[in-house]
Amino acid sequence: MKGKRLWSWIAVALGTAYFLLPLVGMFDFSLKMERGKYSFEAYRVVLSDPQFQQTFGYSVALALLTIVLGVLIVVPTAYIVRLRFPAVRPVIEFITLMPLVIPPIVIVFGYIRIYNTSSVLPFTGSWLGTNVLLLFGYAMLALPYMYRSIDTGMRAIDIASLTEAAQSLGAGWGRILATVILPNVFVSVLSGAFLTFAIVIGEYVFAALLNLNTFGPYMVWMGGNRAYEPSALAVVAFLITWACMGLMQRVTRFSKSSLAKR
């Protein structure tokens, strides 16, 4: 028994070292911008760069719009499927998994092919249209995570009883979704929102091929033109992503299922 526990701890230690050592090396390198001493000069340069502020703010705005679009699509879909068409649920789950098995470069080339300037819907012919196309692409990339998070939340509540009670009081479908269902799955929506945020902030392929200067292409550009700043930028991006994960973990501690276990 002690031998098994020892090997378990060895496996955990090796996995932790495999994950953390590159981060430690990158953080150490990012502190050596000034010769002969450790400093946060690389972080100061990165954070004061107007291009960093512009691209990061742009990506944050896109992430928030993607979350809103994802909630508007997924919450009604998951609700109707669970309430009216439970037999269709495996099909919907399979469809939502498609973005995981189709490479993003294939999807974005399909977008460019279908929505180019000579098509009926020339989204790529204007800055606004290209942003709308990028927004839809991000919503599709986040679909597997958003759908599963919200679907899991709906599994924990009695949708049929809540719907019947709301209808008996005269509520319509829109009011039921907005004031009854959505508040009950709010924690699950937040979990999906944080995952969506992390995906959009680091995404590169869609933005680069649609020629939009978001945070992902900026990170790649920085990596090809600077020495110490890319490491600092990677650490900042890592901290932002893990901050989202930490928030998600904190929020899910207050979900109904977690409280029930306590």
Side-chain angles (χ1 to χ4, degrees), residues 57-177:
Y58 183 30
S59 289
V60 169
L62 281 173
L64 295 178
L65 290 174
T66 304
I67 290 168
V68 172
L69 180 61
V71 171
L72 291 177
I73 293 173
V74 173
V75 171
T77 303
Y79 169 69
I80 292 171
V81 168
R82 279 205 164 268
L83 184 66
R84 298 294 186 192
F85 309 103
V88 184
R89 190 163 161 265
V91 178
I92 300 297
E93 285 191 344
F94 176 77
I95 293 173
T96 58
L97 282 175
M98 295 304 288
L100 294 179
V101 297
I102 300 176
I105 193 169
V106 174
I107 298 172
V108 74
F109 269 120
Y111 277 2
I112 294 171
R113 175 75 177 171
I114 294 174
Y115 302 114
N116 59 40
T117 53
S118 60
S119 68
V120 179
L121 297 172
F123 281 110
T124 58
S126 65
W127 180 82
L128 179 61
T130 309
N131 276 280
V132 170
L133 207 56
L134 183 66
L135 190 63
F136 287 160
Y138 283 166
M140 185 178 55
L141 288 181
L143 188 60
Y145 311 100
M146 183 67 84
Y147 181 81
R148 265 146 195 79
S149 178
I150 293 175
D151 188 58
T152 303
M154 288 194 180
R155 193 183 306 168
I157 60 176
D158 190 348
I159 289 180
S161 298
L162 289 172
T163 302
E164 289 176 4
Q167 285 178 331
S168 67
L169 295 172
W173 289 107
R175 189 168 184 181
I176 292 173
L177 274 172

Side-chain angles (χ1 to χ4, degrees), residues 17-30 234-235 238 242:
Y18 179 81
F19 182 71
L20 288 181
L21 282 179
L23 292 173
V24 173
M26 186 169 58
F27 179 65
D28 179 70
F29 183 73
S30 68
V235 172
F238 174 81
W242 276 84

Side-chain angles (χ1 to χ4, degrees), residues 180-226:
V180 178
I181 301 300
L182 191 57
N184 278 283
V185 296
F186 187 67
V187 173
S188 301
V189 171
L190 280 182
S191 298
F194 288 132
L195 287 172
T196 301
F197 184 86
I199 291 170
V200 173
I201 287 296
E203 203 283 330
Y204 170 75
V205 176
F206 271 76
L209 293 181
L210 290 175
N211 199 27
L212 291 173
N213 193 23
T214 62
F215 189 57
Y218 171 71
M219 288 181 67
V220 175
W221 175 85
M222 181 71 83
N225 293 277
R226 303 287 180 85

